[in-house]
Each structure stands twice: as C-alpha cells, then as structure tokens.
Amino acid sequence: MNLIWVTAAKYLGEYRIQLTFNDGSVKVFDGKEIVMTHPLFKPLQSLAVYKEFALDGWTLSWSNGTIDLAPEYLYEHSVV
C-alpha cells in the first residue's frame, strides 16, 4: 500500500485549494460541500478562516490543527 500525503497547497479562491501530492500529482480540492454540510467543519464556512490553512507535515489543517482532512480523502475528492 502506498501512502499519500500533501506536499504543497495553494488557495485558489472560494473553497478551492490546489494540492500537490507526494506522487507528483496536482489536483484541485473544492471543500464547499463538506464545509457546508458537516457540522465539524462549520467554523470553515467563513472564507477568511477557510483560506488560513496550514500543512502539518502530511495534510491540511485549520484552527491550529483542531480540524483536518485525511490526505487520502483530499486525494480521492480532488480533480486534476
């Protein structure tokens, strides 16, 4: 099994983030659906908060690491 993780991320606007993964692929993740429908991600409905993500060594995290998404989820739910 190959492990996947995020090596770079760039905010594109709205809820879209360009992600580069350790396999070299570059994809765009649109987080609007999960942010608007999942209660855990409600704080990220504010674009000012959403765009303040960080790379924590393997994935994106927000709010000092209290909210994150598994890199596999990001990989599977992003488009080229």
Side-chain angles (χ1 to χ4, degrees):
M1 178 182 191
N2 292 329
L3 296 177
I4 195 78
W5 64 87
V6 180
T7 60
K10 177 183 174 187
Y11 179 70
L12 298 177
E14 293 295 314
Y15 293 94
R16 294 174 299 120
I17 301 171
Q18 179 180 297
L19 303 170
T20 304
F21 294 91
N22 63 309
D23 68 354
S25 62
V26 178
K27 298 183 173 192
V28 175
F29 176 73
D30 186 342
K32 186 173 185 177
E33 181 179 341
I34 194 168
V35 166
M36 295 301 178
T37 61
H38 196 289
L40 176 66
F41 295 97
K42 186 172 181 154
L44 302 182
Q45 289 179 0
S46 163
L47 286 174
V49 175
Y50 184 82
K51 69 181 182 178
E52 294 301 321
F53 57 83
L55 285 177
D56 67 2
W58 62 285
T59 195
L60 298 181
S61 66
W62 290 267
S63 302
N64 297 321
T66 59
I67 302 171
D68 67 11
L69 289 166
E72 297 85 3
Y73 179 88
L74 292 169
Y75 192 87
E76 292 170 9
H77 291 87
S78 297
V79 295
V80 177

